[in-house]
Amino acid sequence: MRGTAVAAIALTMVVSACAKDNGGTTTTQTGSACEFATPPTAPTTSQAAATDSKKVDGSALKLGLAYDIGGRGDASFNDLAAAGFDKAIADMGVKKENTRELSAAPNEDETAKQTRLRQLATEGFNPIVGVGFAYTESLKVVAPEFPNVKFGLVDSAVEGVTNVTPLVFAEQEGAFLAGVIAAYQSKKCHIGFVGGVDIPLIQKFEAGYNQGARTAAPKIAIDKKYITPAGDFTGFQDPPKGQEAAKGLIDKGADVVYPAAGASGIGVFAAVKQAGVLAIGCDADQYNQPSLAANRDVIAASSLKRVDVAVYDFFHAAAGNDLASLPKVFDLKSNGVGYATSGGKVDAKLQGIVEGYKAQIIEGKIKVDDKI
C-alpha cells in the first residue's frame, strides 16, 4: 500500500543513508554560476502513481525487524525503517509485546546475522524485515529453513527463495533531482559527493547525482570522496571521517555537498556549516531531523529514499496476504523516491524546473544511470 496514509509517515524523525575515489573532477567554469541547459516545462499535475489504502487487521501478528549497523537512532536509513515499523504497528493494531527489533554490529560476520534472523523466526515473528543488503547472504541460508515466514529485504534480493520479498529502490532517480538542485544552488558551478562505502548501492546515488547536475549544467565540476572501500562498512558510521571528507571537497572548491553516507553524513553537515556553503540531504528530509537542528540551515533540499514506505507497505501487504501488490522497484512513479525542499532555499521557479525533470523521468524521456 502506498498513497495518502503512507505518504504521511513521519519523516521528520529520521535522516539519511549514497567508484572508487580517484579525485576526479569534470571540466568546469569554476568561479562563477553555471550556464544552464534549457530546462523542461513543469507538468500541471503530479505524475506519481496514486493508490488506495485499505485497513488490515494485524492484531494477531508478531512483527520483527533486523537493523543494519547503527540500529534505531542511527540518523540514517535504519531510522526510516523504524518509522515504517512504528506506523505498521499503530495502523494494524499490533500489540507492542508482539514486536521485536534487533541490531547489527559493525563488521560482524555472517554467523551473527544468521543468528539474529533465526532468533526472530524461531520465536514466532512473522513477517520479518532485514534492513539492508548486508542480510542477503544470511537470508539465502535462513529463509529456506522457515518456509512459512515472510521475509522482506531492503536494498537487495535473494534469487530463487520465494519467501523473501525484495524491497529495492531507484535511488539514482532521487539523486538525479538532488544533482539538479545542487547545480542551481552552486555559486561556483562546483559541487561534491561524499559516499560512505565504495559499493554499487552507493555508486547508484553518485551516478544519479552526477547525471542530474550535468543534465542541468553540462560544464559543472563534480568532485567525490568515499570514506571507506568496499568491505569496510564503518564508512556509514563515522561522522569525523565524514567531516574530513567533506572538508577536502570544499577545499577543492565545491560549494554544495551531497552525502550518501549514513550516520557519517552528520559530520558532512558539520563541515558544510563551518565552511559556510550548502548541502543536499539524502534518504529523508534531513532539514527536519532533530539531531541536525544546529546545522539544518545549510541543507538546501534532500533526496528521499522512502525506506519507511517500503517497510510499511511490506508489513501491510504481508498481513493482507497480498505481497504481489508491491512494486518491483520503489521509484519516482510509485513514490518510492523523491525530494524535499524544507528550509525555503528552493524557490517556486527552481521547484518547477525540478518537477519538469521529475516528469521526464517518470515518462521515460530521461533514463537515469544506476552505474558510474
Side-chain angles (χ1 to χ4, degrees):
M1 161 196 137
R2 290 152 301 280
T4 303
V6 174
I9 290 176
L11 288 174
T12 56
M13 62 184 286
V14 291
V15 205
S16 110
C18 283
K20 288 188 177 180
D21 172 39
N22 58 13
T25 306
T26 63
T27 57
T28 184
Q29 57 213 38
T30 299
S32 61
C34 293
E35 296 174 8
F36 296 106
T38 302
T41 302
T44 56
T45 58
S46 173
Q47 302 294 302
T51 57
D52 295 326
S53 20
K54 59 183 179 181
K55 192 73 175 176
V56 171
D57 181 11
S59 58
L61 295 178
K62 296 179 70 175
L63 305 187
L65 195 66
Y67 291 113
D68 203 347
I69 58 172
R72 183 188 285 265
D74 73 337
S76 185
F77 82 132
N78 283 308
D79 270 346
L80 285 162
F85 185 62
D86 291 345
K87 183 170 175 59
I89 292 167
D91 284 4
M92 299 193 305
V94 180
K95 300 179 179 67
K96 192 63 179 177
E97 60 267 26
N98 286 341
T99 67
R100 180 70 58 81
E101 302 169 59
L102 300 175
S103 295
N107 294 326
E108 66 183 11
D109 60 24
E110 288 301 321
T111 302
K113 294 180 178 64
Q114 291 178 22
T115 299
R116 186 175 306 113
L117 294 169
R118 200 173 281 118
Q119 176 184 343
L120 290 169
T122 300
E123 293 178 0
F125 290 93
N126 183 18
I128 297 168
V129 170
V131 183
F133 66 90
Y135 284 100
T136 306
E137 295 303 315
S138 295
L139 278 170
K140 288 180 182 179
V141 175
V142 176
E145 297 175 2
F146 300 90
N148 295 322
V149 175
K150 299 180 177 73
F151 293 93
L153 177 57
V154 176
D155 281 344
S156 190
V158 180
E159 299 297 332
V161 182
T162 58
N163 61 326
V164 178
T165 299
L167 305 174
V168 294
F169 301 82
E171 294 95 344
Q172 69 276 11
E173 293 182 356
F176 180 104
L177 302 181
V180 172
I181 294 170
Y184 275 89
Q185 292 289 336
S186 177
K187 295 179 180 179
K188 298 191 291 183
C189 205
H190 192 159
I191 63 176
F193 174 84
V194 175
V197 183
D198 189 1
I199 52 176
L201 175 64
I202 304 305
Q203 291 169 11
K204 288 172 69 177
F205 286 91
E206 182 193 352
Y209 180 65
N210 290 355
Q211 185 179 347
R214 289 170 180 151
T215 299
K219 295 182 180 180
I220 196 167
I222 308 173
D223 285 317
K224 66 178 178 181
K225 177 66 178 179
Y226 281 85
I227 296 172
T228 56
D232 180 359
F233 295 103
T234 61
F236 289 132
Q237 204 177 16
D238 197 332
K241 286 187 178 178
Q243 185 168 1
E244 179 183 351
K247 184 178 184 304
L249 298 180
I250 294 165
D251 288 346
K252 287 183 176 181
D255 62 358
V256 182
V257 181
Y258 177 51
S264 298
I266 296 170
V268 172
F269 295 124
V272 168
K273 173 79 170 184
Q274 187 175 29
V277 294
L278 292 175
I280 306 292
C282 182
D283 285 354
D285 186 352
Q286 294 195 287
Y287 181 87
N288 286 315
Q289 168 62 26
S291 65
L292 293 173
N295 295 327
R296 72 177 187 170
D297 57 314
V298 304
I299 301 174
S302 296
S303 71
L304 302 179
K305 175 179 174 179
R306 294 188 168 104
V307 176
D308 53 338
V309 171
V311 169
Y312 177 90
D313 281 7
F314 170 76
F315 283 129
H316 187 276
N321 198 29
D322 191 24
L323 289 173
S325 67
L326 295 174
K328 298 299 182 184
V329 178
F330 287 86
D331 57 9
L332 279 175
K333 189 171 184 178
S334 66
N335 291 316
V337 297
Y339 72 102
T341 59
S342 300
K345 289 184 171 58
V346 175
D347 60 19
K349 180 180 179 180
L350 177 52
Q351 184 146 8
I353 291 169
V354 177
E355 284 295 313
Y357 282 115
K358 176 181 175 181
Q360 289 203 337
I361 294 169
I362 291 173
E363 294 166 7
K365 295 178 180 178
I366 293 177
K367 170 67 175 175
V368 185
D369 298 331
D370 61 3
K371 294 180 175 62
I372 55 174

